[in-house]
Amino acid sequence: FGMDPFHYLFFETSQESDVAIHARRHDIFVNGSFGSGMFSPIPNSVYICHFPTLSRRAKFSCLINRRLFKRTIAVNLFGLIQNPQIDSQLWFNDALFIHIPTDRSIEIHGHEGNFVIRGENGLRNILSGEKEIFQGPENLVLSQGNSIKFSGRIIGIKRITGWRVLSTRYLYNPLAHHSYLQVWANSEFTKKWISNLWKIESQVIYPPVEVQSTKQTSRDEFAIVSLGRFMSPKRNHSKNQLELVKGLRFLSKANPKFHLILLGGLAENQRDYFEKVKKLARNKSVAIRQNASAAEVQIVLDSSKYYWHGAGLNQPQSKPQNFEHFGIAPIEAMSRGMIPLVYKVGGPAEVLADFPELIFENLKDLVEKTLHLSKQNNNDLIDKLKLLSNKFNVAEFEKRVMAAFNKLS
């Protein structure tokens, strides 16, 4: 970003309030944590949205009444996790308890081990079983040995009505995301859902893709690759490998030369889905390579012609979180000279909007379009796709980010 020298500082936190303390020492705060409910700690702030979500509490409330559109404030202005203030309890964990009995007085109880309070008025010690009382507002860091147990700014307590508690817990409210000066969406697809779910405006900043042109000239004209973690489509952002194996079965009937290579990470909690894929792929032209190394993935991509991307296939429109929000892998594939075919809904279809021959509606459509492409000379198409992939490279990302930063006050 043209900053020379540019210094990096890495620190580990156990709660978002720790981040708020550090953020106040900087010019710009960027929150890139997926599903974060943290309020902006400084004015110049950016929230990177991978896809809009509701808080766990709002999701729980939806189980009570599914017809109401509900949201909740799960943290206060400084990122401290709290319940709506019917009582005076502010925060606690297994070692200490923070209590605000009046509007400004603050009580800190240590119930397991000794603590050191670092505040605006210096250091204070709390012995196990004792408490410290002082007046707010104050910035506080509570540590036990080398471990920070709490950090944040406590202003005081504001009593509110029962109706206010119900409305903040279950009904529509401006969420933490409204407190940011800018909200970045990773695609137009995500931007649309940010507007629908959060009722706020955002701007599209496509993620950077490390596009790489390959010198590989010899490709298997009938090799199809799909890259992505093996995950069941139930409650997951699945690449639908099971459906792609079914698609290859139909494709092989038309041309038995085609074969499919499935590459992806595998977590133990997805073992059942993986075994289903393996079982269906048995005795078919399917190679499955779970947890393949980066080097192996690159070799396969550089020697194959087609890339199938099945995310979103057979998913209901009511679950937009299960579609591909941006899709880095298809862009990486086409930068290497592959021909991607992607589902009609989501970020990949947005990227390939000028290439309808590469966007499929269902398995039958995927098979037919792959067959049609196999009978054509695709050199011109491949060149155009390589050129398109450059619009998402790191240099273009830097330009978009700096343009967005320059708009900050």
Side-chain angles (χ1 to χ4, degrees):
F1 296 141
M3 304 176 189
D4 187 20
F6 187 83
H7 301 287
Y8 292 86
L9 172 65
F10 296 91
F11 60 93
E12 182 179 337
T13 65
S14 59
Q15 57 198 39
E16 288 185 327
S17 56
D18 295 334
V19 180
I21 295 295
H22 288 276
R24 295 190 190 101
R25 304 169 187 163
H26 295 81
D27 300 311
I28 299 174
F29 175 74
V30 180
N31 186 349
S33 180
F34 181 81
S36 173
M38 181 181 180
F39 278 76
S40 167
I42 62 175
N44 282 340
S45 57
V46 175
Y47 188 96
I48 299 177
C49 180
H50 307 277
F51 197 75
T53 61
L54 299 177
S55 73
R56 289 188 180 94
R57 188 182 298 162
K59 290 179 180 178
F60 176 75
S61 69
C62 288
L63 296 176
I64 300 174
N65 189 338
R66 294 177 182 272
R67 295 186 179 182
L68 291 178
F69 185 77
K70 309 166 191 70
R71 298 181 180 185
T72 181
I73 295 178
V75 294
N76 70 5
L77 184 58
F78 302 99
L80 309 179
I81 300 172
Q82 65 175 19
N83 291 318
Q85 291 295 333
I86 290 178
D87 53 29
S88 57
Q89 172 183 313
L90 175 66
W91 188 91
F92 70 93
N93 65 6
D94 58 353
L96 60 90
F97 176 81
I98 301 176
H99 180 67
I100 307 179
T102 64
D103 288 348
R104 291 294 180 182
S105 61
I106 302 169
E107 291 183 5
I108 298 179
H109 301 251
H111 54 82
E112 185 176 318
N114 302 329
F115 286 87
V116 175
I117 302 176
R118 294 176 177 87
E120 297 170 0
N121 297 317
L123 298 179
R124 284 162 285 186
N125 294 311
I126 301 180
L127 300 178
S128 181
E130 294 185 352
K131 67 180 178 181
E132 180 79 12
I133 302 176
F134 50 93
Q135 295 295 307
E138 185 164 359
N139 293 312
L140 295 174
V141 177
L142 279 66
S143 58
Q144 191 176 49
N146 295 324
S147 175
I148 295 178
K149 296 296 184 180
F150 173 88
S151 64
R153 178 173 176 80
I154 300 178
I155 292 181
I157 187 171
K158 181 179 180 181
R159 310 277 177 182
I160 54 180
T161 64
W163 165 248
R164 175 70 173 174
V165 171
L166 291 173
S167 64
T168 55
R169 187 181 282 262
Y170 298 123
L171 303 180
Y172 172 78
N173 276 284
L175 290 177
H177 323 100
H178 291 246
S179 66
Y180 288 82
L181 202 58
Q182 293 182 5
V183 174
W184 295 356
N186 57 8
S187 66
E188 293 290 343
F189 177 75
T190 299
K191 179 180 178 179
K192 180 188 77 172
W193 284 101
I194 290 174
S195 177
N196 289 347
L197 293 177
W198 289 352
K199 310 301 181 186
I200 56 177
E201 292 299 318
S202 59
Q203 57 184 310
V204 176
I205 305 287
Y206 289 113
V209 180
E210 294 185 3
V211 297
Q212 300 180 28
S213 58
T214 177
K215 296 180 181 179
Q216 180 79 29
T217 56
S218 177
R219 289 185 181 274
D220 186 335
E221 294 292 314
F222 299 98
I224 304 168
V225 178
S226 183
L227 176 63
R229 288 177 293 170
F230 291 92
M231 293 191 300
S232 167
K234 295 180 180 179
R235 306 186 190 91
N236 289 303
H237 180 65
S238 176
K239 298 301 186 287
N240 288 303
Q241 290 93 341
L242 197 64
E243 295 300 312
L244 297 185
V245 173
K246 295 176 183 177
L248 181 74
R249 181 177 59 188
F250 298 131
L251 183 60
S252 297
K253 291 179 180 179
N255 188 335
K257 293 182 180 180
F258 278 103
H259 56 102
L260 176 65
I261 306 168
L262 299 177
L263 303 168
L266 174 63
E268 280 305 311
N269 63 349
Q270 296 297 327
R271 176 69 61 177
D272 289 346
Y273 178 74
F274 177 73
E275 292 300 329
K276 289 180 181 179
V277 176
K278 283 181 61 178
K279 183 178 180 180
L280 186 65
R282 196 173 298 154
N283 300 324
K284 296 183 177 67
S285 300
V286 180
I288 301 177
R289 303 176 189 176
Q290 72 272 26
N291 299 321
S293 67
E296 185 178 3
V297 170
Q298 302 312 321
I299 291 173
V300 172
L301 292 179
D302 288 344
S303 59
S304 305
K305 185 169 183 178
Y306 300 100
Y307 183 91
W308 280 3
H309 198 72
L313 183 63
N314 294 337
Q315 290 294 326
Q317 297 290 330
S318 59
K319 294 183 177 180
Q321 68 274 16
N322 290 348
F323 294 90
E324 189 65 79
H325 311 141
F326 173 57
I328 289 178
I331 297 174
E332 289 178 335
M334 65 191 193
S335 75
R336 291 178 170 273
M338 299 183 72
I339 300 175
L341 290 101
V342 303
Y343 186 60
K344 66 177 182 178
V345 179
E350 174 185 323
V351 170
L352 295 172
D354 293 334
F355 299 89
E357 68 272 28
L358 304 181
I359 300 172
F360 64 88
E361 295 187 7
N362 48 48
L363 277 184
K364 181 182 178 182
D365 194 29
L366 171 61
V367 170
E368 290 177 351
K369 288 185 173 178
T370 304
L371 277 173
H372 179 75
L373 288 166
S374 69
K375 300 173 184 178
Q376 307 295 318
N377 184 324
N378 298 306
N379 292 335
D380 184 54
L381 172 63
I382 291 171
D383 289 340
K384 290 179 180 179
L385 292 173
K386 286 182 177 180
L387 187 63
L388 174 61
S389 70
N390 288 326
K391 294 183 179 180
F392 304 93
N393 63 24
V394 175
E396 290 298 317
F397 172 74
E398 290 177 359
K399 292 177 184 177
R400 291 190 289 267
V401 168
M402 288 308 300
F405 278 173
N406 288 332
K407 294 178 182 178
L408 295 171
S409 58

